[in-house]
Amino acid sequence: MTDAPRTAKLTFDDKELDLPMYSPTAGPDVIDITKLYAQGGVFTYDPGFTSTASCDSTITYIDGGKGELLYRGYPIDQLAEKSNYIEVCYTLLYGELPTEDKLIDFERKITTHTMVHDQMQFLFRGFRRDAHPMAIMCGVVGALSAFYHDSTDISDPEQREHASIRMIAKIPTIAAMAYKYSAGQPFVYPDNKLDYASNFLRMCFAVPAEEYVVDPILAKAMDRIFTLHADHEQNASTSTVRLAGSSGANPFACIAAGIACLWGPAHGGANQACLEMLREIGTVDRIPEYVARAKDKSDPFRLMGFGHRVYKNFDPRAKVMKESADEVLDLLGIENNETLKIAKELERIALEDEYFVSKKLYPNVDFYSGIILDAMGFPTSMFTPIFALSRTVGWITQWQEMLNDPSQKIGRPRQLYKGATQRDYVDLDKR
Ligand code: SDX
């Protein structure tokens, strides 16, 4: 007796449908509704996709209730402590931790692709100096397809691989160039003697007028921030990359779309908005005023860096980030960082407040990251570009998985139409 496949029975009007059900290796079971419209003549309705799985994936898993995050099965806290970003990139891309030989080969590939076509520097001149670096990154990353035609044929696995290496290798260079341009300083070329995080710090903070030596402690903190932001299931920007990729758009256009989506303050823009909020609060005694505003339905203000669609427990990345904040500020000799003090007191108050407890609102990855980046010398406008830099490996891995899925087809959601039914045109003189 073979196990009959599990089904969900759906009955409505005069119909009774048996919809297939599948069980994952972790997380909730799913009901397959791909045939629902054909068999039942109805759509499902789920704005914001709160209960909808858009794909099957083997890359990242989040347990929102437990506050767990796994990259290819490896817990984020173990990777943050024991691994490094280049090894995390390899593991996300290829599914397994690399052997030493494979890691050396992969790192060499990335290192030797860090420069961008030298003519790209002229693209930056089209922007005002006060342009937000995210605006520049959207434009320049999209323009990569105009310089790297030989890795835009998505039907060619070799070109897909080449585009993936190029994206991971060049995104720090582009982010650093966006920063230098907005700071009015000359671009700094990559230095292949340096590791990924050190290279980025040097491209951001070195100036031709003097020697720049990377602080290994800052490089390690930078590398850890990259790791914590590398991937996160089907979040808004990853879903944007997948949807853009489903039409056959070239990889650089898809990553540019992801960058544009990440910029929103409800998503990756929250790290900048959170530090600006902490600065606006200014002193610990003003925290209750802002907590009251966050709870007031008539006030659009929300506590930036708090809450999450999936985590209904502590975001594990926020825990690691909080430890790093203490470590980095201490190592930088930044005593009594008022912003960190406000953040910790705000966290304490919010986590005791019934409103936040009942809605399971905890600090997320963006709550502490801005404090570290600020202490490292980055302006708030560079916080989201650093998030985009870190997430590029996740986006490109998810893009690859989508294209390798044999059931992949163009994403095209339907709608619950509430507009006018058909009516005849009325001539202007009769209106
Ligand atoms: C990221 O998806 C990902 O994985 C994203 C990300 C990733 O790595 O890719 O983790 C990165 O984007 C982290 C989130 C960064 N954003 C912020 O910190 C902005 C502030 N947070 C909120 O805007 C909100 O919490 C979201 C957008 C993060 C989640 O929104 P949801 O899931 O749609 O939840 P919701 O808006 O329906 O909120 C549920 C309730 C609401 O109240 P009720 O309507 O039930 O009365 O909680 C309230 C909200 O008003 N609420 C908040 C709040 N977040 C939610 N109230 C005050 N302050 C907040 N921060």
Side-chain angles (χ1 to χ4, degrees), residues 50 62 228-229 231-238 262 264-271 294-295 297 301-312 315 317 355-356 359 361 364-366 387 391:
T50 50
I62 301 169
L228 293 173
H229 289 83
D231 194 48
H232 215 240
E233 285 191 4
Q234 307 310 317
N235 58 84
S237 52
T238 296
L262 186 77
H267 191 11
N271 52 18
K295 292 154 61 174
K297 282 288 159 233
F301 173 78
R302 285 194 167 177
L303 283 187
M304 292 289 110
F306 259 80
H308 199 276
R309 169 62 56 77
V310 178
Y311 289 123
K312 301 308 170 189
D315 180 335
R317 302 168 297 177
Y355 174 92
F356 293 89
K359 295 179 188 297
L361 301 175
N364 59 47
V365 67
D366 295 306
F387 192 152
R391 184 55 56 88

